[in-house]
Amino acid sequence: MPPAPTVVRTLPSLRRALERLRARRATVALVPTMGALHEGHLALVRQAKKRASRVIVSIFVNPTQFAPHEDFGSYPRTWKADLAKLAEAKADLIWRPDVSTMYPRDFATRISTEGPAMADLEDRFRPHFFSGVTTVVGKLFIQCRPDIALFGQKDYQQLKVVTRMAADLDLGVKIIGVPIVRERDGLAMSSRNVYLSNEQRARAPALYRTLKDAAGRLRNGDHLEAVMSDGARTIEDAGFSLDYFEARHAETLSPAGSLKDGPVRLLVAAKIGDTRLIDNLGV
Ligand code: PAF
């Protein structure tokens, strides 16, 4: 059995643990998560271990990034399995605060970002989301003072928003995006995939297939508008209710009219039943 990582649940114990890490002149990586860990998260931890001498993983299901009608209450919480996976992955420290530590009574501060947070993608459908993410990630950075922090590219807009925030606020942390980890049939790994029924799970890889097909057609010179409208139809025909299927500049997230506006990233969000899935692919 690998040694269990140190688990800290209060700010004073986090400070003491960080002092011990820093005393050894360690470079520190932070992997922020909401738990329910899967291979995608473990890829972040593995990357973190390559790039830093100590790895902190935070586990906090952040209420401020969920709207009242969303799944905060039912979001999977799998602490024992998460701990075993992080021991196996040899994380050094788990920061697992409770809600009252992160948001004490009378908490009244929000970090709000513009630029990539207003790209008319996730923000159009989840207007509350990014200020919740930036507020909690900002707090995690201030609490843990990492040298680097790693985020999955599956939440592509989130990665851009957090990168912008860290630069704008001089937080002194380098943000690293890690490629999406997929199931064998192409479905992007997500903690929310457990919500899918067998039938929905069988249909879900249509998102990645459509992204791949569209990227291939664009590379072959097909007209972007036609490719995107064919892709949107394919996703709906597979039983999804589509929020967006968009071609954007991979850095600025501004709309792309052709590959000449590139580098181009294709981004999709769609619901199957009650479960909303997102995915993206570089062209
Ligand atoms: O991507 C996530 O799991 C969350 O949005 C994050 C970055 C941990 C903030 O709560």
Side-chain angles (χ1 to χ4, degrees):
M1 271 278 283
T6 306
V7 181
V8 291
R9 304 221 56 194
T10 65
L11 283 166
S13 52
L14 176 66
R15 278 187 203 112
R16 282 194 299 275
L18 287 171
E19 267 161 32
R20 285 196 296 274
L21 287 189
R22 293 276 177 202
R24 290 176 217 145
R25 293 177 154 267
T27 48
V28 172
L30 174 67
V31 178
T33 81
M34 298 203 299
L37 302 180
H38 51 67
E39 267 306 308
H41 297 111
L42 300 179
L44 300 178
V45 176
R46 281 194 286 272
Q47 264 302 317
K49 286 196 72 76
K50 282 191 192 146
R51 291 168 179 262
S53 42
R54 293 287 179 271
V55 177
I56 307 173
V57 178
S58 63
I59 296 185
F60 179 64
V61 185
N62 173 36
T64 64
Q65 68 191 74
F66 292 80
H69 65 278
E70 291 183 343
D71 56 343
F72 175 70
S74 58
Y75 195 84
R77 288 158 170 89
T78 55
W79 164 243
K80 281 199 176 139
D82 291 350
L83 179 60
K85 287 174 188 172
L86 292 176
E88 189 67 42
K90 299 192 169 59
D92 297 286
L93 186 66
I94 302 176
W95 171 219
R96 188 179 172 231
D98 60 23
V99 174
S100 62
T101 298
M102 293 302 273
Y103 300 112
R105 225 160 61 88
D106 300 334
F107 183 89
T109 298
R110 282 276 180 159
I111 299 177
S112 86
T113 47
E114 297 178 358
M118 295 173 73
D120 202 27
L121 293 164
E122 286 303 287
D123 48 304
R124 184 169 10 133
F125 296 91
R126 307 186 69 197
H128 55 281
F129 179 66
F130 286 120
S131 74
V133 168
T134 47
T135 302
V136 81
V137 171
K139 280 188 69 113
L140 291 168
F141 286 171
I142 291 163
Q143 292 163 345
C144 298
R145 291 177 288 109
D147 301 291
I148 62 171
L150 296 94
F151 293 82
Q153 288 179 348
K154 185 177 79 70
D155 295 273
Y156 195 78
Q157 189 180 5
Q158 167 177 280
L159 171 63
K160 299 294 160 195
V161 170
V162 168
T163 304
R164 182 76 267 148
M165 173 190 72
D168 288 353
L169 298 182
D170 301 322
L171 295 177
V173 52
K174 181 171 181 217
I175 308 299
I176 292 160
V178 176
I180 298 172
V181 178
R182 298 182 179 281
E183 304 285 358
R184 288 167 76 95
D185 58 10
L187 177 66
M189 290 203 182
S190 163
S191 304
R192 289 190 168 99
N193 289 351
V194 296
Y195 297 154
L196 299 171
S197 68
N198 289 343
E199 202 243 325
Q200 291 164 344
R201 175 66 189 80
R203 288 170 183 264
L207 286 187
Y208 180 57
R209 273 201 305 274
T210 307
L211 286 167
K212 247 186 9 184
D213 177 62
R217 284 183 60 191
L218 290 172
R219 282 189 216 110
N220 287 337
D222 283 10
H223 197 262
L224 188 137
E225 218 171 286
V227 170
M228 298 311 286
S229 69
D230 289 351
R233 200 170 330 108
T234 308
I235 291 166
E236 286 177 336
D237 289 349
F240 284 89
S241 152
L242 186 64
D243 281 353
Y244 59 81
F245 178 49
E246 298 261 353
R248 296 297 182 95
H249 188 285
E251 290 309 317
T252 64
L253 300 184
S254 59
S258 81
L259 287 199
K260 289 196 197 94
D261 299 334
V264 168
R265 194 99 189 169
L266 304 179
L267 300 108
V268 65
K271 268 179 117 175
I272 188 155
D274 291 334
T275 304
R276 189 168 181 279
L277 301 177
I278 60 173
D279 201 349
N280 65 83
L281 188 67
V283 177

